[in-house]
C-alpha cells in the first residue's frame, strides 16, 4: 500500500502507552476525515507508521479502536463541563462557563467532536450508549446545580439540564459550521445570555 503524505516513518520502538497514543492519533485523523465505514485499518496503520500486526496488538478490531477514541473524547467533554460548573459559585458565570465548555470542545484540535456528536455509528449499541452516557452526565451535573438553586424536583431539574446541554451542543455545532462568521467569544456569550435569561426566571430556593 502506498504511504499517505502524512504517514509517520516506521521503525521507531515506543513504550506501549506512547504507541497507543500514536495509534489513536492516527485513527482520529482517518475516522474524522472519512467516517467509520470508509476508514480502513490499513490506512490507519500506514498513517501511524506501523504494520497492521502492530495495530492489532493494541486494538483487536476497527470498532474497538473507534470505541477507545470515543471513550477518550466523551470523557474529556464531561470533565470539561464538570470543571466549568465547579469554577465559580456565581450561577450566571456558571452558565457562561458551561456554554464555553461546549464551544471549546467543538472548536478543539482534530475535530474530535465529530466522533461524539456526528458519528456514523450512532445506531450501533455501544456507540449510542457512550454518547448518551456523556450527554446524560453533562445534563445531570447541570441539573444538580439547578435543583440546588431553585428547589426544582429531580425530573424538572433533569429536563432543564438536558435542555441547556442540547442548546449548548446544537448551537456550538451550528456556529462551527458557519466558519467563524461570528467570533467564538461572541457566540458563547450570546448563547449564555439566552440560557441565563431563561433559567434565571425560575424562583430561587429559599433554603
Amino acid at each position: 500500500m502506498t504511504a499517505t503524505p502524512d504517514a509517520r516513518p516506521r521503525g521507531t520502538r515506543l513504550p506501549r502507552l506512547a504507541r497507543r497514543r500514536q495509534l489513536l492519533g492516527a485513527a482520529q485523523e482517518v475516522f474524522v476525515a472519512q467516517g467509520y465505514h470508509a476508514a480502513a485499518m490499513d490506512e490507519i496503520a500506514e498513517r501511524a507508521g506501523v504494520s497492521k500486526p502492530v495495530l492489532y496488538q493494541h486494538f483487536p478490531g476497527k470498532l474497538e479502536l473507534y470505541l477507545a477514541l470515543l471513550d477518550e473524547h466523551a470523557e474529556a467533554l464531561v470533565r470539561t463541563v464538570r470543571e466549568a460548573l465547579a469554577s465559580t459559585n456565581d450561577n450566571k458565570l456558571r452558565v457562561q462557563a458551561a456554554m464555553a465548555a461546549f464551544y471549546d470542545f467543538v472548536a478543539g484540535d482534530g475535530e474530535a467532536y465529530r466522533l461524539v456528536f456526528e458519528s456514523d455509528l450512532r445506531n450501533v449499541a455501544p456507540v449510542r450508549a457512550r454518547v448518551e452516557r456523556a450527554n446524560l452526565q453533562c445534563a445531570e451535573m447541570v441539573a444538580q446545580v439547578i435543583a440546588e438553586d431553585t428547589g426544582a424536583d429531580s425530573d424538572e431539574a433533569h429536563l432543564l439540564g438536558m435542555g441547556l446541554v442540547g442548546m449548548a451542543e446544537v448551537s456550538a455545532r451550528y456556529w462551527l459550521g458557519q466558519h467563524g462568521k461570528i467570533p467564538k467569544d461572541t457566540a458563547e456569550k450570546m448563547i449564555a445570555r439566552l440560557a441565563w435569561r431563561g433559567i434565571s426566571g425560575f424562583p430561587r430556593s429559599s433554603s
Side-chain angles (χ1 to χ4, degrees):
M1 177 179 177
T2 303
T4 63
D6 297 325
R8 281 64 164 178
R10 292 190 180 187
T12 303
R13 292 186 63 84
L14 293 175
R16 184 171 181 82
L17 288 179
R19 178 67 76 193
R20 178 182 171 88
R21 168 56 41 207
Q22 179 194 38
L23 296 174
L24 287 172
Q28 180 173 323
E29 293 174 4
V30 175
F31 284 135
V32 166
Q34 300 184 19
Y36 176 84
H37 294 294
M41 293 291 271
D42 296 90
E43 183 174 355
I44 292 169
E46 193 72 30
R47 182 73 60 104
V50 301
S51 65
K52 260 180 80 173
V54 168
L55 177 56
Y56 281 112
Q57 285 174 9
H58 291 264
F59 301 99
K62 188 167 71 166
L63 179 59
E64 289 78 10
L65 179 53
Y66 189 89
L67 292 175
L69 269 175
L70 182 57
D71 282 337
E72 178 179 285
H73 293 301
E75 289 167 6
L77 173 62
V78 172
R79 183 171 60 252
T80 301
V81 173
R82 180 182 297 112
E83 291 170 354
L85 293 173
S87 65
T88 176
N89 290 324
D90 183 313
N91 284 333
K92 183 175 182 179
L93 296 180
R94 272 179 170 156
V95 170
Q96 293 176 3
M99 294 299 161
F102 276 86
Y103 278 75
D104 288 344
F105 181 72
V106 166
D109 292 338
E111 298 185 88
Y113 80 95
R114 295 188 183 279
L115 300 173
V116 180
F117 295 142
E118 298 179 0
S119 172
D120 54 353
L121 287 185
R122 289 292 286 266
N123 290 327
V124 174
V127 173
R128 183 173 63 251
R130 284 164 167 79
V131 173
E132 290 177 351
R133 182 171 64 240
N135 283 332
L136 184 59
Q137 287 177 315
C138 291
E140 285 177 342
M141 288 186 289
V142 174
Q144 182 176 352
V145 174
I146 292 171
E148 291 171 355
D149 193 56
T150 67
D153 68 32
S154 177
D155 290 338
E156 293 172 346
H158 277 82
L159 178 61
L160 293 170
M162 191 60 75
L164 289 174
V165 166
M167 178 189 296
E169 175 199 331
V170 173
S171 67
R173 291 168 56 199
Y174 175 80
W175 164 79
L176 189 67
Q178 297 304 296
H179 308 293
K181 290 181 180 178
I182 301 175
K184 177 172 173 287
D185 183 61
T186 301
E188 291 172 359
K189 289 178 179 178
M190 287 176 62
I191 297 301
R193 189 179 308 123
L194 174 65
W196 176 246
R197 286 181 177 177
I199 200 66
S200 64
F202 286 82
R204 297 288 296 273
S205 174
S206 57
S207 59

